[in-house]
mmCIF file of all heavy atoms in Angstrom:
data_model
loop_
_atom_site.group_PDB
_atom_site.id
_atom_site.type_symbol
_atom_site.label_atom_id
_atom_site.label_comp_id
_atom_site.label_asym_id
_atom_site.label_seq_id
_atom_site.Cartn_x
_atom_site.Cartn_y
_atom_site.Cartn_z
ATOM 1 N N VAL V 1 0.856 -1.209 0.015
ATOM 2 C CA VAL V 1 -0.012 -0.014 0.008
ATOM 3 C C VAL V 1 0.883 1.259 0.010
ATOM 4 O O VAL V 1 1.848 1.332 0.799
ATOM 5 C CB VAL V 1 -0.928 0.029 1.220
ATOM 6 C CG1 VAL V 1 -1.799 1.298 1.217
ATOM 7 C CG2 VAL V 1 -1.838 -1.209 1.241
ATOM 8 N N ILE V 2 0.616 2.179 -0.938
ATOM 9 C CA ILE V 2 1.300 3.450 -0.948
ATOM 10 C C ILE V 2 0.232 4.578 -0.833
ATOM 11 O O ILE V 2 -0.710 4.632 -1.561
ATOM 12 C CB ILE V 2 2.045 3.642 -2.303
ATOM 13 C CG1 ILE V 2 3.082 2.513 -2.498
ATOM 14 C CG2 ILE V 2 2.729 4.982 -2.334
ATOM 15 C CD1 ILE V 2 3.778 2.557 -3.824
ATOM 16 N N THR V 3 0.449 5.417 0.184
ATOM 17 C CA THR V 3 -0.549 6.463 0.404
ATOM 18 C C THR V 3 0.138 7.840 0.216
ATOM 19 O O THR V 3 1.327 8.019 0.511
ATOM 20 C CB THR V 3 -1.093 6.424 1.870
ATOM 21 O OG1 THR V 3 -0.039 6.693 2.799
ATOM 22 C CG2 THR V 3 -1.686 5.064 2.155
ATOM 23 N N PHE V 4 -0.632 8.790 -0.317
ATOM 24 C CA PHE V 4 -0.167 10.152 -0.494
ATOM 25 C C PHE V 4 -1.017 11.074 0.316
ATOM 26 O O PHE V 4 -2.278 11.085 0.228
ATOM 27 C CB PHE V 4 -0.245 10.541 -1.981
ATOM 28 C CG PHE V 4 0.650 9.757 -2.874
ATOM 29 C CD1 PHE V 4 0.190 8.709 -3.597
ATOM 30 C CD2 PHE V 4 2.006 10.086 -2.952
ATOM 31 C CE1 PHE V 4 1.036 7.926 -4.432
ATOM 32 C CE2 PHE V 4 2.876 9.368 -3.740
ATOM 33 C CZ PHE V 4 2.373 8.296 -4.512
ATOM 34 N N ILE V 5 -0.403 11.897 1.162
ATOM 35 C CA ILE V 5 -1.082 12.730 2.171
ATOM 36 C C ILE V 5 -0.975 14.160 1.807
ATOM 37 O O ILE V 5 0.112 14.722 1.613
ATOM 38 C CB ILE V 5 -0.501 12.492 3.581
ATOM 39 C CG1 ILE V 5 -0.625 11.062 3.989
ATOM 40 C CG2 ILE V 5 -1.157 13.411 4.594
ATOM 41 C CD1 ILE V 5 0.151 10.670 5.244
ATOM 42 N N ASP V 6 -2.153 14.794 1.588
ATOM 43 C CA ASP V 6 -2.190 16.213 1.278
ATOM 44 C C ASP V 6 -3.605 16.762 1.587
ATOM 45 O O ASP V 6 -4.454 16.816 0.719
ATOM 46 C CB ASP V 6 -1.818 16.454 -0.228
ATOM 47 C CG ASP V 6 -1.772 17.917 -0.561
ATOM 48 O OD1 ASP V 6 -1.740 18.734 0.375
ATOM 49 O OD2 ASP V 6 -1.739 18.257 -1.770
ATOM 50 N N THR V 7 -3.796 17.134 2.859
ATOM 51 C CA THR V 7 -5.085 17.567 3.271
ATOM 52 C C THR V 7 -4.966 18.518 4.472
ATOM 53 O O THR V 7 -4.102 18.349 5.330
ATOM 54 C CB THR V 7 -6.023 16.398 3.695
ATOM 55 O OG1 THR V 7 -7.282 16.887 4.165
ATOM 56 C CG2 THR V 7 -5.384 15.584 4.773
ATOM 57 N N PRO V 8 -5.823 19.571 4.542
ATOM 58 C CA PRO V 8 -5.838 20.401 5.749
ATOM 59 C C PRO V 8 -6.410 19.654 6.974
ATOM 60 O O PRO V 8 -6.224 20.048 8.089
ATOM 61 C CB PRO V 8 -6.757 21.558 5.321
ATOM 62 C CG PRO V 8 -6.903 21.490 3.878
ATOM 63 C CD PRO V 8 -6.728 20.079 3.496
ATOM 64 N N GLY V 9 -7.124 18.578 6.698
ATOM 65 C CA GLY V 9 -7.762 17.825 7.819
ATOM 66 C C GLY V 9 -9.052 17.185 7.237
ATOM 67 O O GLY V 9 -9.434 17.319 6.113
ATOM 68 N N ALA V 10 -9.733 16.447 8.131
ATOM 69 C CA ALA V 10 -10.974 15.814 7.801
ATOM 70 C C ALA V 10 -12.097 16.881 7.670
ATOM 71 O O ALA V 10 -12.064 17.938 8.336
ATOM 72 C CB ALA V 10 -11.360 14.774 8.814
ATOM 73 N N TYR V 11 -13.066 16.639 6.802
ATOM 74 C CA TYR V 11 -14.160 17.546 6.584
ATOM 75 C C TYR V 11 -14.958 17.708 7.841
ATOM 76 O O TYR V 11 -15.455 16.757 8.439
ATOM 77 C CB TYR V 11 -15.051 17.100 5.464
ATOM 78 C CG TYR V 11 -16.225 18.047 5.163
ATOM 79 C CD1 TYR V 11 -15.937 19.349 4.777
ATOM 80 C CD2 TYR V 11 -17.527 17.647 5.242
ATOM 81 C CE1 TYR V 11 -16.977 20.257 4.488
ATOM 82 C CE2 TYR V 11 -18.588 18.496 4.949
ATOM 83 C CZ TYR V 11 -18.286 19.799 4.589
ATOM 84 O OH TYR V 11 -19.303 20.671 4.341
ATOM 85 N N PRO V 12 -15.169 18.964 8.390
ATOM 86 C CA PRO V 12 -15.819 19.171 9.699
ATOM 87 C C PRO V 12 -17.280 19.487 9.623
ATOM 88 O O PRO V 12 -17.861 19.969 10.577
ATOM 89 C CB PRO V 12 -15.019 20.366 10.284
ATOM 90 C CG PRO V 12 -14.710 21.189 9.041
ATOM 91 C CD PRO V 12 -14.522 20.190 7.931
ATOM 92 N N GLY V 13 -17.939 19.210 8.488
ATOM 93 C CA GLY V 13 -19.338 19.578 8.322
ATOM 94 C C GLY V 13 -20.253 18.743 9.190
ATOM 95 O O GLY V 13 -19.936 17.657 9.690
ATOM 96 N N LEU V 14 -21.472 19.293 9.424
ATOM 97 C CA LEU V 14 -22.431 18.622 10.295
ATOM 98 C C LEU V 14 -22.828 17.240 9.744
ATOM 99 O O LEU V 14 -22.965 16.282 10.495
ATOM 100 C CB LEU V 14 -23.690 19.526 10.464
ATOM 101 C CG LEU V 14 -23.541 20.798 11.302
ATOM 102 C CD1 LEU V 14 -24.803 21.563 11.266
ATOM 103 C CD2 LEU V 14 -23.182 20.410 12.715
ATOM 104 N N GLU V 15 -23.022 17.176 8.397
ATOM 105 C CA GLU V 15 -23.374 15.926 7.806
ATOM 106 C C GLU V 15 -22.322 14.879 7.970
ATOM 107 O O GLU V 15 -22.574 13.693 8.151
ATOM 108 C CB GLU V 15 -23.770 16.119 6.352
ATOM 109 C CG GLU V 15 -22.606 16.647 5.437
ATOM 110 C CD GLU V 15 -22.500 18.147 5.427
ATOM 111 O OE1 GLU V 15 -22.964 18.788 6.325
ATOM 112 O OE2 GLU V 15 -21.893 18.651 4.428
ATOM 113 N N ALA V 16 -21.036 15.327 7.898
ATOM 114 C CA ALA V 16 -19.938 14.373 8.133
ATOM 115 C C ALA V 16 -19.910 13.851 9.539
ATOM 116 O O ALA V 16 -19.744 12.624 9.751
ATOM 117 C CB ALA V 16 -18.576 15.035 7.772
ATOM 118 N N GLU V 17 -20.128 14.726 10.526
ATOM 119 C CA GLU V 17 -20.214 14.285 11.903
ATOM 120 C C GLU V 17 -21.403 13.350 12.105
ATOM 121 O O GLU V 17 -21.303 12.345 12.863
ATOM 122 C CB GLU V 17 -20.297 15.514 12.811
ATOM 123 C CG GLU V 17 -19.113 16.450 12.786
ATOM 124 C CD GLU V 17 -17.834 15.797 13.247
ATOM 125 O OE1 GLU V 17 -17.911 14.823 14.018
ATOM 126 O OE2 GLU V 17 -16.740 16.219 12.865
ATOM 127 N N ALA V 18 -22.509 13.625 11.476
ATOM 128 C CA ALA V 18 -23.727 12.796 11.627
ATOM 129 C C ALA V 18 -23.506 11.395 11.083
ATOM 130 O O ALA V 18 -24.047 10.414 11.566
ATOM 131 C CB ALA V 18 -24.882 13.448 10.947
ATOM 132 N N ARG V 19 -22.624 11.275 10.045
ATOM 133 C CA ARG V 19 -22.387 9.964 9.459
ATOM 134 C C ARG V 19 -21.097 9.273 10.035
ATOM 135 O O ARG V 19 -20.654 8.290 9.536
ATOM 136 C CB ARG V 19 -22.210 10.088 7.950
ATOM 137 C CG ARG V 19 -23.500 10.548 7.235
ATOM 138 C CD ARG V 19 -23.461 10.293 5.755
ATOM 139 N NE ARG V 19 -22.381 11.016 5.076
ATOM 140 C CZ ARG V 19 -22.474 12.274 4.581
ATOM 141 N NH1 ARG V 19 -23.654 12.900 4.718
ATOM 142 N NH2 ARG V 19 -21.524 12.844 3.990
ATOM 143 N N GLY V 20 -20.587 9.798 11.150
ATOM 144 C CA GLY V 20 -19.513 9.123 11.852
ATOM 145 C C GLY V 20 -18.154 9.456 11.411
ATOM 146 O O GLY V 20 -17.361 8.512 11.179
ATOM 147 N N GLN V 21 -17.775 10.726 11.329
ATOM 148 C CA GLN V 21 -16.456 11.102 10.872
ATOM 149 C C GLN V 21 -15.382 10.562 11.806
ATOM 150 O O GLN V 21 -14.383 9.946 11.330
ATOM 151 C CB GLN V 21 -16.345 12.616 10.791
ATOM 152 C CG GLN V 21 -15.025 13.158 10.279
ATOM 153 C CD GLN V 21 -14.810 12.928 8.784
ATOM 154 O OE1 GLN V 21 -14.560 11.810 8.368
ATOM 155 N NE2 GLN V 21 -14.894 13.966 7.992
ATOM 156 N N ALA V 22 -15.516 10.765 13.081
ATOM 157 C CA ALA V 22 -14.513 10.324 14.061
ATOM 158 C C ALA V 22 -14.361 8.841 14.064
ATOM 159 O O ALA V 22 -13.235 8.274 14.095
ATOM 160 C CB ALA V 22 -14.861 10.832 15.445
ATOM 161 N N GLU V 23 -15.514 8.104 13.966
ATOM 162 C CA GLU V 23 -15.445 6.679 13.890
ATOM 163 C C GLU V 23 -14.737 6.163 12.698
ATOM 164 O O GLU V 23 -13.934 5.177 12.722
ATOM 165 C CB GLU V 23 -16.902 6.112 13.988
ATOM 166 C CG GLU V 23 -17.007 4.637 14.030
ATOM 167 C CD GLU V 23 -17.125 3.964 12.646
ATOM 168 O OE1 GLU V 23 -17.302 4.738 11.657
ATOM 169 O OE2 GLU V 23 -16.987 2.758 12.542
ATOM 170 N N ALA V 24 -14.976 6.773 11.553
ATOM 171 C CA ALA V 24 -14.354 6.379 10.255
ATOM 172 C C ALA V 24 -12.841 6.575 10.364
ATOM 173 O O ALA V 24 -12.064 5.705 9.938
ATOM 174 C CB ALA V 24 -14.950 7.158 9.128
ATOM 175 N N ILE V 25 -12.400 7.687 10.912
ATOM 176 C CA ILE V 25 -10.940 7.928 11.061
ATOM 177 C C ILE V 25 -10.323 6.886 12.042
ATOM 178 O O ILE V 25 -9.254 6.321 11.724
ATOM 179 C CB ILE V 25 -10.690 9.376 11.518
ATOM 180 C CG1 ILE V 25 -11.137 10.357 10.438
ATOM 181 C CG2 ILE V 25 -9.197 9.545 11.865
ATOM 182 C CD1 ILE V 25 -11.010 11.817 10.903
ATOM 183 N N ALA V 26 -11.001 6.698 13.123
ATOM 184 C CA ALA V 26 -10.462 5.757 14.100
ATOM 185 C C ALA V 26 -10.336 4.336 13.560
ATOM 186 O O ALA V 26 -9.373 3.631 13.799
ATOM 187 C CB ALA V 26 -11.360 5.739 15.388
ATOM 188 N N ARG V 27 -11.345 3.940 12.807
ATOM 189 C CA ARG V 27 -11.311 2.563 12.248
ATOM 190 C C ARG V 27 -10.186 2.469 11.144
ATOM 191 O O ARG V 27 -9.551 1.425 11.011
ATOM 192 C CB ARG V 27 -12.653 2.192 11.629
ATOM 193 C CG ARG V 27 -13.687 1.813 12.654
ATOM 194 C CD ARG V 27 -14.960 1.229 12.028
ATOM 195 N NE ARG V 27 -15.916 0.879 13.013
ATOM 196 C CZ ARG V 27 -15.966 -0.290 13.655
ATOM 197 N NH1 ARG V 27 -15.066 -1.223 13.363
ATOM 198 N NH2 ARG V 27 -16.928 -0.575 14.540
ATOM 199 N N THR V 28 -9.977 3.577 10.438
ATOM 200 C CA THR V 28 -8.929 3.537 9.409
ATOM 201 C C THR V 28 -7.595 3.430 10.098
ATOM 202 O O THR V 28 -6.672 2.713 9.647
ATOM 203 C CB THR V 28 -8.983 4.871 8.564
ATOM 204 O OG1 THR V 28 -10.303 5.015 8.030
ATOM 205 C CG2 THR V 28 -7.975 4.773 7.443
ATOM 206 N N LEU V 29 -7.353 4.190 11.200
ATOM 207 C CA LEU V 29 -6.107 4.078 11.949
ATOM 208 C C LEU V 29 -5.936 2.706 12.503
ATOM 209 O O LEU V 29 -4.794 2.123 12.411
ATOM 210 C CB LEU V 29 -6.159 5.052 13.112
ATOM 211 C CG LEU V 29 -5.991 6.554 12.742
ATOM 212 C CD1 LEU V 29 -6.354 7.428 13.945
ATOM 213 C CD2 LEU V 29 -4.558 6.825 12.294
ATOM 214 N N ALA V 30 -6.966 2.102 13.059
ATOM 215 C CA ALA V 30 -6.879 0.754 13.664
ATOM 216 C C ALA V 30 -6.545 -0.290 12.572
ATOM 217 O O ALA V 30 -5.718 -1.180 12.730
ATOM 218 C CB ALA V 30 -8.149 0.382 14.361
ATOM 219 N N LEU V 31 -7.204 -0.172 11.443
ATOM 220 C CA LEU V 31 -7.006 -1.126 10.346
ATOM 221 C C LEU V 31 -5.613 -1.001 9.758
ATOM 222 O O LEU V 31 -4.927 -2.036 9.568
ATOM 223 C CB LEU V 31 -8.054 -0.942 9.275
ATOM 224 C CG LEU V 31 -7.886 -1.725 7.978
ATOM 225 C CD1 LEU V 31 -7.935 -3.233 8.278
ATOM 226 C CD2 LEU V 31 -8.974 -1.383 6.959
ATOM 227 N N SER V 32 -5.165 0.215 9.482
ATOM 228 C CA SER V 32 -3.843 0.425 8.861
ATOM 229 C C SER V 32 -2.716 -0.053 9.818
ATOM 230 O O SER V 32 -1.680 -0.476 9.336
ATOM 231 C CB SER V 32 -3.640 1.885 8.448
ATOM 232 O OG SER V 32 -3.816 2.695 9.565
ATOM 233 N N SER V 33 -2.913 0.058 11.110
ATOM 234 C CA SER V 33 -1.897 -0.401 12.080
ATOM 235 C C SER V 33 -1.823 -1.935 12.136
ATOM 236 O O SER V 33 -0.856 -2.461 12.667
ATOM 237 C CB SER V 33 -2.194 0.194 13.455
ATOM 238 O OG SER V 33 -3.374 -0.326 13.998
ATOM 239 N N ARG V 34 -2.848 -2.636 11.664
ATOM 240 C CA ARG V 34 -2.894 -4.117 11.713
ATOM 241 C C ARG V 34 -2.471 -4.743 10.372
ATOM 242 O O ARG V 34 -2.392 -5.981 10.307
ATOM 243 C CB ARG V 34 -4.265 -4.627 12.111
ATOM 244 C CG ARG V 34 -4.705 -4.264 13.473
ATOM 245 C CD ARG V 34 -5.898 -5.142 13.928
ATOM 246 N NE ARG V 34 -6.972 -5.038 13.017
ATOM 247 C CZ ARG V 34 -8.002 -4.199 13.131
ATOM 248 N NH1 ARG V 34 -8.040 -3.363 14.156
ATOM 249 N NH2 ARG V 34 -8.992 -4.165 12.276
ATOM 250 N N LEU V 35 -2.254 -3.954 9.354
ATOM 251 C CA LEU V 35 -1.902 -4.517 8.058
ATOM 252 C C LEU V 35 -0.542 -5.224 8.136
ATOM 253 O O LEU V 35 0.387 -4.737 8.716
ATOM 254 C CB LEU V 35 -1.858 -3.413 6.981
ATOM 255 C CG LEU V 35 -3.159 -2.728 6.635
ATOM 256 C CD1 LEU V 35 -2.915 -1.619 5.624
ATOM 257 C CD2 LEU V 35 -4.178 -3.717 6.097
ATOM 258 N N THR V 36 -0.482 -6.386 7.482
ATOM 259 C CA THR V 36 0.767 -7.144 7.438
ATOM 260 C C THR V 36 1.542 -6.909 6.118
ATOM 261 O O THR V 36 2.662 -7.315 6.002
ATOM 262 C CB THR V 36 0.505 -8.650 7.580
ATOM 263 O OG1 THR V 36 -0.375 -9.098 6.552
ATOM 264 C CG2 THR V 36 -0.152 -8.924 8.959
ATOM 265 N N VAL V 37 0.882 -6.242 5.147
ATOM 266 C CA VAL V 37 1.586 -5.912 3.923
ATOM 267 C C VAL V 37 2.360 -4.607 4.131
ATOM 268 O O VAL V 37 2.036 -3.816 5.028
ATOM 269 C CB VAL V 37 0.612 -5.774 2.737
ATOM 270 C CG1 VAL V 37 -0.080 -7.056 2.469
ATOM 271 C CG2 VAL V 37 -0.435 -4.691 3.029
ATOM 272 N N PRO V 38 3.422 -4.399 3.377
ATOM 273 C CA PRO V 38 4.175 -3.130 3.532
ATOM 274 C C PRO V 38 3.324 -1.903 3.196
ATOM 275 O O PRO V 38 2.565 -1.915 2.234
ATOM 276 C CB PRO V 38 5.333 -3.267 2.513
ATOM 277 C CG PRO V 38 5.424 -4.737 2.224
ATOM 278 C CD PRO V 38 4.053 -5.272 2.375
ATOM 279 N N VAL V 39 3.489 -0.864 4.029
ATOM 280 C CA VAL V 39 2.776 0.428 3.831
ATOM 281 C C VAL V 39 3.796 1.507 3.786
ATOM 282 O O VAL V 39 4.625 1.692 4.735
ATOM 283 C CB VAL V 39 1.738 0.641 4.930
ATOM 284 C CG1 VAL V 39 1.040 1.952 4.687
ATOM 285 C CG2 VAL V 39 0.738 -0.515 5.009
ATOM 286 N N VAL V 40 3.770 2.306 2.711
ATOM 287 C CA VAL V 40 4.641 3.485 2.597
ATOM 288 C C VAL V 40 3.770 4.692 2.517
ATOM 289 O O VAL V 40 2.878 4.812 1.592
ATOM 290 C CB VAL V 40 5.543 3.387 1.397
ATOM 291 C CG1 VAL V 40 6.376 4.677 1.247
ATOM 292 C CG2 VAL V 40 6.440 2.173 1.468
ATOM 293 N N SER V 41 3.904 5.646 3.386
ATOM 294 C CA SER V 41 3.126 6.887 3.397
ATOM 295 C C SER V 41 4.022 8.083 3.049
ATOM 296 O O SER V 41 5.126 8.182 3.582
ATOM 297 C CB SER V 41 2.478 7.119 4.763
ATOM 298 O OG SER V 41 1.646 6.063 5.140
ATOM 299 N N VAL V 42 3.521 8.902 2.161
ATOM 300 C CA VAL V 42 4.312 10.061 1.677
ATOM 301 C C VAL V 42 3.467 11.321 1.898
ATOM 302 O O VAL V 42 2.391 11.479 1.354
ATOM 303 C CB VAL V 42 4.666 9.904 0.189
ATOM 304 C CG1 VAL V 42 5.568 11.087 -0.253
ATOM 305 C CG2 VAL V 42 5.324 8.575 -0.099
#
């Protein structure tokens, strides 16, 4: 997995919060930390 990072942050809108913005970020962090394949972030 190769990721490219270029963002001011996650979208802070009300609709994003209503659909679980914090939960989505937390699950992405948890999943990426458990990957056994190589991950390079740029």
Side-chain angles (χ1 to χ4, degrees):
V1 178
I2 301 175
T3 66
F4 295 100
I5 299 169
D6 185 14
T7 179
Y11 182 58
L14 289 176
E15 61 274 23
E17 297 296 335
R19 295 197 298 272
Q21 181 72 288
E23 182 269 349
I25 294 175
R27 284 188 179 275
T28 306
L29 287 166
L31 174 60
S32 57
S33 65
R34 294 197 304 267
L35 293 176
T36 59
V37 296
V39 181
V40 177
S41 300
V42 185

